[in-house]
Amino acid sequence: MPPDPQFHDRPDSLPPEPGAYVLLIALERELPLRLPGKPERVLTPGRYLYCGSARGPGGLRARVGRHFRRDKPERWHVDRLTAAGRMLGAWIVPGGDECALVATLSGLPVPMPGFGSSDCRRCASHLLNWPDGASIPLPDAPF
């Protein structure tokens, strides 16, 4: 378990330090997606968890805050999901590692191999599906 992940449901409460995060995104309609060099997949309505890192200027506040915004250029795979879905919040781990978060959540289904992990050799995906009724090892889950 990562050290003390904290849930934030608004970007203004995020710290400006580096770390890792887990986004909680609700998708209310099907979303067809194609990653470069892979066949198209369709994400079904439901809850998704995306693990990422924030190491640049502004740290977690800047990166996770960007994910809360709807009006942004598409830079990362997750931008397609946050534009089509609804950001419900994020767990943050200052100083944490995104792959350690994926490992913590490894009991959840991988809906799209390679999503958000094209530069990662350890993880099959940084996107996980959180099915109804499944528990997750993160505190303060809003559901």
Side-chain angles (χ1 to χ4, degrees):
M1 162 87 82
D4 300 326
Q6 306 158 356
F7 188 77
H8 293 260
D9 60 2
R10 16 179 262 279
D12 59 343
S13 66
L14 296 161
E17 56 195 278
Y21 58 86
V22 179
L23 303 180
L24 173 56
I25 305 160
L27 189 59
E28 295 171 3
R29 65 186 193 295
E30 288 188 348
L31 178 63
L33 288 174
R34 181 183 307 270
L35 299 181
K38 305 225 182 216
E40 183 176 279
R41 298 263 180 139
V42 176
L43 295 181
T44 58
R47 295 176 300 180
Y48 292 88
L49 300 173
Y50 173 78
C51 301
S53 64
R55 306 259 179 248
L60 290 160
R61 179 179 296 157
R63 177 63 58 89
V64 177
R66 181 184 187 282
H67 293 310
F68 272 96
R69 290 196 334 256
R70 302 219 28 108
D71 59 334
K72 60 185 175 264
E74 187 179 298
R75 185 175 299 158
W76 295 288
H77 295 156
V78 72
D79 289 341
R80 296 179 212 162
L81 187 54
T82 58
R86 189 169 34 100
M87 274 285 299
L88 300 177
W91 287 270
I92 62 161
V93 182
D97 175 73
E98 64 191 301
C99 296
L101 289 169
V102 171
T104 297
L105 298 166
S106 66
L108 296 174
V110 171
M112 189 169 205
F115 189 99
S117 62
S118 54
D119 61 347
C120 178
R121 299 198 186 277
R122 295 189 325 196
C123 305
S125 179
H126 283 192
L127 180 68
L128 303 162
N129 179 251
W130 183 11
D132 288 340
S135 63
I136 59 170
L138 297 172
D140 303 324
F143 301 103

